[in-house]
Structure formats: C-alpha cells, structure tokens
Amino acid sequence: MKDELIKLIFPNVKDKSYYEEKYPKRDLKEGAVVTRFAPSPTGFVHMGSLFSAYVSSKAAHDTDGVFFLRIEDTDQKREVENGIENIIRDLDNFDIKIDEGVTSNGEVGIYGPYIQTHRKEIYESFASYLMSIDLAYPCFLTEKELEEMREIQEKDKLEIGCYGAFAKYRDLSDEERIKKIKNGEPYIIRLKSQGDINKRIHIKDLIKGDLEFPENNIDVVLIKGDGFPTYHFAHAVDDSLMHTTHVIRGDEWLSSLPIHYELFKVLGYKLPKYCHLSPIMIQDGEIRRKLSKRKDKEAAISFYHELGVPKEAIKLYLLTIANSNFEEWYNANPRESIDKFKFDFKKVSSSGSLFDMEKLLNISKNYLSYLSASDFYNRLLEYTKEYDSEFYNLLVKYKDDSIEFINIERERKKPRKDYSSFSEVKDNMWYMFDELFFKEKKSLDNSEIIIDYFNNYYDSSDTEEEWFNKMKDLASKYGYATDMKAYKEEPDSYPGSIVDISNMIRISMTTKDNTPNLYNILKILGKTRIEKRINEYYPSSKKD
Ligand code: GLU
C-alpha cells in the first residue's frame, strides 16, 4: 500500500542512495570551510545580504575551502526579472569570488543543479524516502481548516501549527490517502514529527554560542501545494548533499533551528555548523531597528556606487563590523591586502552592529588616501565616465596635469586625506581646468597685492623655500605679519598675516581658501595659464 501511495504521489523518484553516490564528500584539506550564499532572486544585493555573502566567502577562502552560490527560487511569487544576473553581477563587482554554483559562466561544480527549482526531483526523492519510513505524509487540510485551526490556537494561546490532535491526517491509513488523492483532493506533504516539546535540544552556534530549544513537534510542510519544497526542507536536503560545512545566515532563522535539527536527523545527516549573523542595525530617531532595504537609502549598494565610495572601503567597513579585532589589524597594516586578515567566528559580535555612515566614509577617506596617484586617477576616470562626462573628458584631456594634481601630498607616509568618495573630487579640482575656471565669476578683492605678487615676486623656477620666502617679503611689504606668534599676540596691529596673503593668492587662482599645497598648484598651472587668469580677472595688470 505504502509503495502504491508513494508511486501515486511521486511517480519519478530515485533512491536516496543514488544522490548520495552522485554527490560524494568533498575532497578538501582538513579544516577547509564550505559555505554558501543562498539568496532568493528577489532583487539586488543590499548591505545586509552583502555582509553575509562577504563573511561567507571570506570564511571559505581563508581556509582554502569553497564558497558557492545557490539560488533559492522556490517562492515563485517573489521573483523579479534578471534577479539571478543582478546577484552575480553585484558579487562580481565586489570581487567576491564564486567558486561554485551559479556563476557568470553558468553553473559550475558537481553538486548541482544549484537553482532550487531545477532540483524538484531531488526534493521529491527525499520526501518519498521520508514517506517510505513513515516520517512524512500527505496532508489534506484545506485553507479553511488551517485558518480555523489557527484561530483556535490563537484564542486558546496554544502553540501555532499542525501537531497532535490538529494534525488530522497524520494517522490516516494509506488506503484512505490513496482514495483521497484519486478523488482529486489537494494535498501537501508534511513531516511526521517525532519531537517532544517537553524535551530539550542543544545546538552550538559559532556566533551565538550554546543554544537550547524545546524539540520541534510540528508537522512542518516539506513539499508545498505547488510541488516545490519549503525553505526548511530544501535547506536540509541541499546543505547535506552539497556538503556545506558552515551555514552562515541571518539570525531571523534562529527560531527555526529545532525544525532544521529534526529534518537533518530524520534524513540521517550530520547537522552543519551554524553561524547566525545579527542584522546590521540603524538608529532611527529614538528607535534602533534593522537596516531596511525598503526604508534606508544606505542599504542599497547602488547608493555607494553613485556616491563613488570604492568597493574596497565597503568591504573594509563590513570586516570592521564582522570581526572586533579587524580594526586594530587594519590600523597596523593599512596598506596590506585584507585577504591577509583571517576571519574568526569567535570575534563576531553576537548582537547587531549599528550602521555608522560616518565611520564608513572615514574608512573610505583613508583608503583613497593610500591609493597611488595613477590608481586614484584611473578609478576617478571609471567613476566620472559613468556619472560626469564633462569632468571625465577634462581628466582625459589633461591626464598628466591631473595625475600631478592628485599626487600633491600623496604617495608619502602620511598622505593628505581630501576625499571620502570620488563624487567629492570635482569640487576640489575643477579650478585646475581653464574650461571650468573661466566659467566661474571671480572676486577682484585685493587685486593690487595679487598683481604685484605675480608681476614682481612669483617665479616658477623657485624652490618651495624660495617661493615661501618671497611670500613673506610680499606680506612684509604690505604690513602683514610674517611671525604668527607676534600676530596672535597683537592681531589688531596688522591688516592680517602671511596666511591671509597666501590665501589671497590661493583664492585668485582657485577661488578656494583651502586646497592642496599652493606651491604645487601654481607649478602645475604654469606661467602661461597663471597669466591668462590674471589678465582675465585682474585686467589692470596688463602691461602695454
Ligand atoms: N533564501 C534564504 C534567505 O534569503 C537563505 C537563508 C540561508 O542562508 O539559509 O533568507
């Protein structure tokens, strides 16, 4: 009878042992970690999912293990177009290497298919196995009956779900089951739970520590009415057959652990190591809540892309929140590749980190300051090509000057830290291009001093020291203080100090009172361009 029932429900299934042979244990070195990123193809990777994908890949790659991408698309209502391509592209953009599974080169690896809807026959085979040992059954509860059951449970404050007396079809005879199915009654497949809610199970989570739960006693759904598995069932089947050693996922799954524990047990497989990550939190006025891809612009990866925050800075930030010892390591090794840092589960905070944009931008500022001038230039080109074609064209046209400008006070032990993103560069650089400089209106204040300086003091062949001494001479000539100590003691005795004088010159050539080293800027501009600027904006300087 049982065989007949199984044949009726699953006419085309294979033996569990067939799959066990097909997907043998992985041949990896001792201690190698096998992890996966298992998103639903419901849109883009966001900060939260990037965090778990990055941590998973790092844990695998640090141990010469495997990081694979599995697509969990069994909830077809939630699917979006190009969902899978977007996920792969986002991971690729962050240089998160997918070793196996769904990749930009198609499916790679012997443990596939890696897209759950292509694994239907596998889930059916495992469900039929559970039916054959009387640990699963078809359940005919209707929507209405389920609703009523829920109402009673809520009203009487009982545990919610299908169990005990509520599991009406649990003990139906196979004969009656066959009859109902032949009659066309809709059904789903449920686990016949063996758990006892009065007994406890113990699970060690690598992040949350030792956990204790009551056993699962719910006859959870294994195969839904549409023929696809539930998350729980697919998780147990897939992570067993794919030999995942560490399941790294969000801690919203913690409460489902007793179900997963039982499913691995009834299937006869070892539980993987669980690592439940706390979500990234955000302070929203008075309340602290999960960073939300719907509410928070900072959750979208595209937000950083548009801002021009480099992907490396985001990864640095994610590692900072992932491992409490990372920041110290990075401060000691700021120019080292982060691949050298070894991720450690023991150093993951078990409570959620608060998202800190200021910190992220600060990390980005440091990162950008350590880039060589030509690397910075190339990355800036990439950014402006997408977001600012006018600036891009100027950077291309004046490549050497641009790199020279970017290089001011860079490539040294303590570089200048001007930018936390590429979107900030133009505001600090536009004045180097005549095309943009002459579009701006300029003030003509103190033109006498400026004209005097460029006509009688400035010499582009001066060393920086000579240049500075001339600036001092100019200041003295107009009564400005050259000794800052004396100036601070009696500021009213002077019209200003040498700082004001150099700022006049700075403003005349850049419009700004804060720029990288003025000596270098003047050198890059060169005599002809300086003269052009003076003639345009300080016409009285024109000599006949
Ligand atoms: N598809 C599940 C999700 O997106 C995966 C959770 C897991 O990693 O097991 O939440």
Side-chain angles (χ1 to χ4, degrees):
M1 253 321 156
K2 174 92 40 227
D3 284 351
E4 192 185 330
L5 173 68
I6 295 176
K7 265 247 144 348
L8 186 63
I9 298 179
F10 301 120
N12 291 315
V13 290
K14 295 199 169 63
D15 224 39
K16 182 174 172 255
S17 59
Y18 166 84
Y19 291 108
E20 288 166 351
E21 271 162 43
K22 183 170 177 198
Y23 303 121
K25 214 168 155 279
R26 290 171 184 271
D27 187 16
L28 293 169
K29 72 168 207 208
E30 174 95 22
V33 166
V34 179
T35 60
R36 82 291 190 281
F37 179 43
S40 307
T42 51
F44 296 90
V45 171
H46 53 90
M47 207 56 157
S49 51
L50 182 70
F51 183 50
S52 65
Y54 182 43
V55 165
S56 304
S57 71
K58 184 105 181 86
H61 295 148
D62 281 355
T63 55
D64 296 327
V66 177
F67 169 67
F68 67 88
L69 176 65
R70 180 172 70 224
I71 298 296
E72 308 213 324
D73 58 346
T74 58
D75 188 354
Q76 299 195 307
K77 285 191 285 298
R78 295 173 57 214
E79 230 163 288
V80 299
E81 218 186 313
N82 298 328
I84 300 180
E85 289 81 355
N86 291 341
I87 290 166
I88 297 173
R89 195 210 44 219
D90 286 345
L91 295 185
D92 279 350
N93 282 345
F94 276 90
D95 300 326
I96 295 178
K97 184 168 175 285
I98 307 168
D99 307 307
E100 181 183 307
V102 186
T103 74
S104 47
N105 298 322
E107 288 199 32
V108 172
I110 62 157
Y111 296 92
Y114 295 88
I115 298 179
Q116 286 185 330
T117 47
H118 301 174
R119 300 172 62 77
K120 202 160 172 247
E121 190 189 288
I122 303 179
Y123 307 119
E124 288 175 346
S125 300
F126 280 79
S128 87
Y129 163 74
L130 290 181
M131 280 182 67
S132 73
I133 55 170
D134 205 24
L135 288 178
Y137 64 93
C139 171
F140 301 91
L141 283 172
T142 61
E143 280 302 320
K144 192 160 166 276
E145 283 174 310
L146 286 168
E147 226 169 83
E148 282 165 8
M149 175 173 106
R150 202 181 172 90
E151 271 168 26
I152 296 172
Q153 289 169 343
E154 274 171 6
K155 190 165 100 325
D156 297 346
K157 302 210 162 28
L158 297 170
E159 195 192 1
I160 306 287
C162 185
Y163 59 94
F166 294 107
K168 214 164 101 182
Y169 297 100
R170 182 178 158 114
D171 295 317
L172 211 63
S173 72
D174 286 340
E175 217 170 341
E176 281 170 292
R177 287 170 174 154
I178 291 172
K179 215 164 111 198
K180 278 180 167 299
I181 293 174
K182 286 194 170 158
N183 236 345
E185 288 188 38
Y187 61 92
I188 55 168
I189 306 295
R190 285 186 188 273
L191 168 74
K192 196 168 188 179
S193 173
Q194 305 299 299
D196 176 348
I197 198 158
N198 296 311
K199 289 196 187 138
R200 317 287 291 173
I201 54 170
H202 297 266
I203 299 176
K204 185 177 162 60
D205 184 284
L206 293 194
I207 295 173
K208 304 280 178 183
D210 292 326
L211 305 171
E212 194 187 322
F213 300 94
E215 283 184 359
N216 169 59
N217 68 333
I218 310 278
D219 287 355
V220 290
V221 180
L222 304 179
I223 306 281
K224 301 176 289 179
D226 61 7
F228 286 113
T230 53
Y231 167 77
H232 307 305
F233 190 48
H235 157 49
V237 171
D238 291 349
D239 284 315
S240 299
L241 295 182
M242 295 176 181
H243 301 279
T244 307
T245 62
H246 290 59
V247 168
I248 302 174
R249 63 183 178 188
D251 67 4
E252 68 272 20
W253 294 109
L254 265 183
S255 59
S256 310
L257 265 181
I259 298 172
H260 303 159
Y261 181 93
E262 184 173 13
L263 288 175
F264 277 87
K265 191 163 142 198
V266 295
L267 290 172
Y269 296 129
K270 202 170 142 235
L271 209 61
K273 291 197 167 69
Y274 282 106
C275 319
H276 285 96
L277 289 170
S278 309
I280 303 176
M281 309 294 282
I282 195 162
Q283 192 73 38
D284 183 356
E286 292 289 287
I287 57 160
R288 193 173 272 209
R289 57 167 176 78
K290 231 169 122 165
L291 186 68
S292 148
K293 61 178 169 181
R294 263 165 239 100
K295 289 188 204 148
D296 306 308
K297 63 178 188 320
E298 302 90 336
I301 297 306
S302 54
F303 169 73
Y304 302 94
H305 199 258
E306 280 158 32
L307 203 60
V309 173
K311 59 190 174 191
E312 292 84 352
I314 294 177
K315 285 164 84 173
L316 284 168
Y317 178 66
L318 291 179
L319 266 188
T320 308
I321 43 181
N323 262 186
S324 55
N325 56 333
F326 175 71
E327 206 169 350
E328 196 186 326
W329 178 89
Y330 182 61
N331 288 338
N333 306 279
R335 293 168 198 251
E336 201 58 272
S337 154
I338 47 176
D339 297 342
K340 293 250 167 77
F341 174 81
K342 295 283 173 231
F343 174 79
D344 184 354
F345 285 106
K346 289 196 216 68
K347 300 276 198 249
V348 182
S349 137
S350 61
S351 59
S353 313
L354 198 59
F355 181 75
D356 185 344
M357 188 67 183
E358 210 175 300
K359 183 154 193 172
L360 193 162
L361 291 178
N362 213 20
I363 287 174
S364 183
K365 191 175 254 185
N366 277 320
Y367 175 79
L368 289 176
S369 78
Y370 293 132
L371 288 182
S372 70
S374 59
D375 282 351
F376 187 99
Y377 171 81
N378 288 329
R379 300 285 297 265
L380 180 63
L381 272 193
E382 259 173 51
Y383 175 76
T384 52
K385 189 169 188 180
E386 195 163 350
Y387 294 107
D388 186 344
S389 55
E390 180 190 49
F391 191 25
Y392 170 80
N393 289 332
L394 291 168
L395 287 164
V396 171
K397 188 166 169 196
Y398 304 107
K399 178 176 177 187
D400 294 345
D401 280 0
S402 299
I403 294 180
E404 225 178 295
F405 175 82
I406 290 165
N407 202 27
I408 300 176
E409 296 163 88
R410 184 173 285 272
E411 302 188 13
R412 48 154 89 173
K413 192 150 185 274
K414 283 213 161 107
R416 267 185 84 87
K417 294 180 181 174
D418 285 312
Y419 317 107
S420 48
S421 68
F422 289 112
S423 60
E424 292 166 12
V425 181
K426 189 183 194 181
D427 189 45
N428 206 12
M429 192 173 174
W430 61 270
Y431 51 77
M432 294 305 289
F433 304 103
D434 289 355
E435 287 84 339
L436 300 179
F437 185 82
F438 289 113
K439 267 202 231 162
E440 283 286 307
K441 198 168 170 291
K442 291 266 291 52
S443 108
L444 297 177
D445 284 358
N446 296 303
S447 53
E448 186 196 344
I449 298 178
I450 292 162
I451 294 163
D452 192 7
Y453 174 69
F454 284 110
N455 280 345
N456 306 313
Y457 289 80
Y458 183 67
D459 181 342
S460 59
S461 62
D462 282 344
T463 64
E464 191 162 358
E465 198 187 349
E466 287 162 348
W467 172 81
F468 189 65
N469 285 335
K470 283 190 181 170
M471 192 72 82
K472 271 186 171 168
D473 294 345
L474 178 77
S476 302
K477 175 172 172 188
Y478 290 92
Y480 284 67
T482 53
D483 175 349
M484 289 311 284
K485 197 164 160 257
Y487 178 63
K488 275 191 189 124
E489 273 163 19
E490 278 182 87
D492 294 341
S493 320
Y494 306 90
S497 76
I498 176 125
V499 174
D500 300 296
I501 287 284
S502 61
N503 267 347
M504 279 175 215
I505 312 294
R506 188 188 310 275
I507 291 168
S508 75
M509 289 296 123
T510 68
T511 77
K512 291 184 160 297
D513 59 8
N514 185 9
T515 68
N517 188 330
L518 180 59
Y519 171 76
N520 298 111
I521 289 182
L522 295 178
K523 271 218 154 239
I524 297 169
L525 286 175
K527 199 161 171 269
T528 323
R529 291 175 63 207
I530 290 175
E531 270 170 14
K532 201 170 149 205
R533 290 179 183 207
I534 294 289
N535 292 342
E536 177 80 17
Y537 289 107
Y538 303 91
S540 59
S541 69
K542 274 196 187 131
K543 286 181 199 152
D544 299 324

